Amino acid sequence: MSQIINIDGSLQEGGGQILRMALCFSVLCKKPVRIYNIRGGRKKPGLMAQHTKSIELLRDICKANVKGLEIGSMEIEFYPREIGQGTFKAHVQTAGSVSLLIQAVLPVAIFGSGPITLDLKGGTNVEMAPQVDFMTEIFRPNMEKFGATFDFDLLRRGYFPKGGGHCVVNIRSTRSLKPVILEDVGTIKRCFGWSFVSGSVPMRVANQLSSGAKNALKRISRENIEIEEYRESVDIAPDNCSGIILGIETTTGSIIGGAALGNRQKDSFVIGEEAANVITSAYNLRACVDRHVQDMLVVLMALADGYSKIKTEPLTLHTQTAIYVAELMTNAKFTVSEQEDGSFIIDCVGIGIKNQSQ
């Protein structure tokens, strides 16, 4: 195994993303890694419960040796072995995001020696992380362009502060990832979405979220705006919450999304507008992905077998961090160039990782 790579976890985004990405590439490239100053850019640095569960999942999947794995730790060492198969559990006792667990493990799991099942508990729809619906309806179609996918079963929703959500993710292994070119957004075929309430939240909140979203989406599409407004079943979602998940599909196959959760301190119509504005902002710049999918695709571009090219909005700090870690941990080469219209092109020559068990 190669010499250990040292990474300062306070650089760039300075939070959990550096940790998740570094460990992902550590497993896939079989490079041990030492991460220090973990979450050094946060008010409460060090490992939280959610982060320890991500590390435990990756450790178990590849039978890694890990040093420093405890809540509050500012430094860990991770020594990976071969990626296995089977069922792996991670139950966060708080409302820690299930989606971030999926983000951490998914790129590794698709290169498993066989099918991998993730049994996950925690927060399914929480702030500061993608809602699970965004992962399945917006991220997954973008991931499938690279030739990999996953199946998702939602058993119970979990909201802040209780958590308690439960889902099962089934991932089939793949031989390699295809490079992807996304530079022509085309025109809008349809606008879709779901606006929900649960618990004792009145149905009018879902109506207001949807109305705000439609008001914003009409600026880019006058037709085919279909947003389902509904109340979650008490069996699936007994606690109070509201939110909206939106997307557009274009004639070239681009899927661009936006999402938000309701907030008692903010008008629901405005929240719906803001969720839709994530989509209109990307589409008006002719970007092929939204700002929240940007960084998730960087990982796949780095692993793909060949040249990928994606047109985006200006890079988020998360995307800049993703490129920084990918280049530090792999031989992938990224080039970022600003276009005259204010959009950006991300080019990448991926490392073409192969699943030796396929």
Side-chain angles (χ1 to χ4, degrees):
M1 188 170 285
S2 57
Q3 186 176 1
I4 194 166
I5 297 174
N6 293 287
I7 298 179
D8 186 343
S10 68
L11 297 178
Q12 297 286 326
E13 180 263 349
Q17 187 196 20
I18 290 182
L19 179 75
R20 288 188 295 271
M21 287 196 60
L23 295 180
C24 168
F25 286 128
S26 172
V27 176
L28 291 167
C29 299
K30 297 182 174 59
K31 295 180 179 179
V33 65
R34 169 180 169 259
I35 307 165
Y36 59 98
N37 290 336
I38 292 174
R39 300 180 66 251
R42 297 293 184 260
K43 289 183 179 179
K44 189 175 181 181
L47 294 177
M48 303 289 282
Q50 173 185 294
H51 307 106
T52 61
K53 292 302 178 183
S54 295
I55 299 169
E56 287 172 0
L57 268 179
L58 289 168
R59 175 199 65 192
D60 294 346
I61 287 172
C62 73
K63 296 183 173 59
N65 180 27
V66 186
K67 298 179 181 178
L69 179 52
E70 57 188 34
I71 292 178
S73 175
M74 293 289 292
E75 179 178 320
I76 67 164
E77 292 183 14
F78 191 90
Y79 299 85
R81 296 190 181 95
E82 297 297 324
I83 305 170
Q85 60 179 299
T87 299
F88 303 91
K89 296 182 178 182
H91 296 173
V92 187
Q93 302 302 315
T94 66
S97 171
V98 163
S99 293
L100 293 182
L101 292 175
I102 296 171
Q103 267 191 36
V105 175
L106 197 54
V108 169
I110 60 178
F111 290 100
S113 59
I116 286 179
T117 296
L118 305 177
D119 186 314
L120 308 175
K121 290 183 180 179
T124 60
N125 302 72
V126 293
E127 296 284 1
M128 306 302 290
Q131 298 184 56
V132 289
D133 313 77
F134 186 89
M135 295 295 290
T136 59
E137 306 307 316
I138 306 300
F139 169 68
R140 180 166 55 183
N142 280 289
M143 179 183 186
E144 287 171 347
K145 298 179 193 302
F146 290 84
T149 191
F150 60 93
D151 295 324
F152 183 91
D153 291 321
L154 179 65
L155 305 178
R156 191 182 190 278
R157 291 194 183 272
Y159 308 130
F160 181 84
K162 292 182 180 179
H166 187 192
C167 64
V168 176
V169 186
N170 292 294
I171 304 123
R172 296 180 293 276
S173 58
T174 187
R175 170 64 175 166
S176 63
L177 295 179
K178 301 180 295 186
V180 168
I181 305 294
L182 297 175
E183 57 180 340
D184 177 11
V185 73
T187 58
I188 296 173
K189 283 176 57 179
R190 66 184 182 110
C191 302
F192 59 92
W194 300 267
S195 180
F196 70 90
V197 294
S198 65
S200 61
V201 180
M203 191 63 197
R204 68 172 181 272
V205 173
N207 305 146
Q208 291 165 354
L209 288 166
S210 177
S211 295
K214 289 176 180 176
N215 188 58
L217 289 172
K218 285 176 182 176
R219 298 169 196 153
I220 59 172
S221 178
R222 290 291 180 181
E223 300 177 354
N224 298 326
I225 301 177
E226 298 182 3
I227 300 174
E228 180 185 352
E229 302 165 8
Y230 70 101
R231 174 175 297 281
E232 290 277 12
S233 163
V234 69
D235 296 331
I236 296 294
D239 300 322
N240 293 343
C241 191
S242 63
I244 190 165
I245 297 91
L246 302 166
I248 64 170
E249 180 184 3
T250 75
T251 52
T252 58
S254 291
I255 302 289
I256 301 171
L261 291 172
N263 187 324
R264 291 181 182 177
Q265 279 71 51
K266 195 168 184 178
D267 183 83
S268 296
F269 185 93
V270 173
I271 292 173
E273 277 193 317
E274 290 175 349
N277 285 341
V278 175
I279 296 173
T280 62
S281 172
Y283 186 74
N284 285 334
L285 270 185
R286 313 300 294 161
C288 295
V289 299
D290 59 79
R291 67 191 67 159
H292 301 301
V293 167
Q294 265 185 23
D295 61 288
M296 290 190 264
L297 295 192
V298 164
V299 180
L300 304 179
M301 294 171 78
L303 300 175
D305 189 11
Y307 172 73
S308 293
K309 180 179 183 180
I310 297 180
K311 187 175 184 180
T312 74
E313 292 184 272
L315 272 60
T316 65
L317 183 55
H318 275 89
T319 301
Q320 295 173 42
T321 301
I323 292 173
Y324 167 77
V325 179
E327 291 192 324
L328 186 65
M329 293 289 296
T330 76
N331 293 322
K333 302 298 181 186
F334 284 86
T335 303
V336 178
S337 54
E338 184 174 4
Q339 309 302 294
E340 290 183 0
D341 60 4
S343 66
F344 281 71
I345 297 290
I346 304 175
D347 296 276
C348 176
V349 179
I351 61 175
I353 189 169
K354 298 289 193 300
N355 189 338
Q356 300 304 320
S357 65
Q358 294 288 300

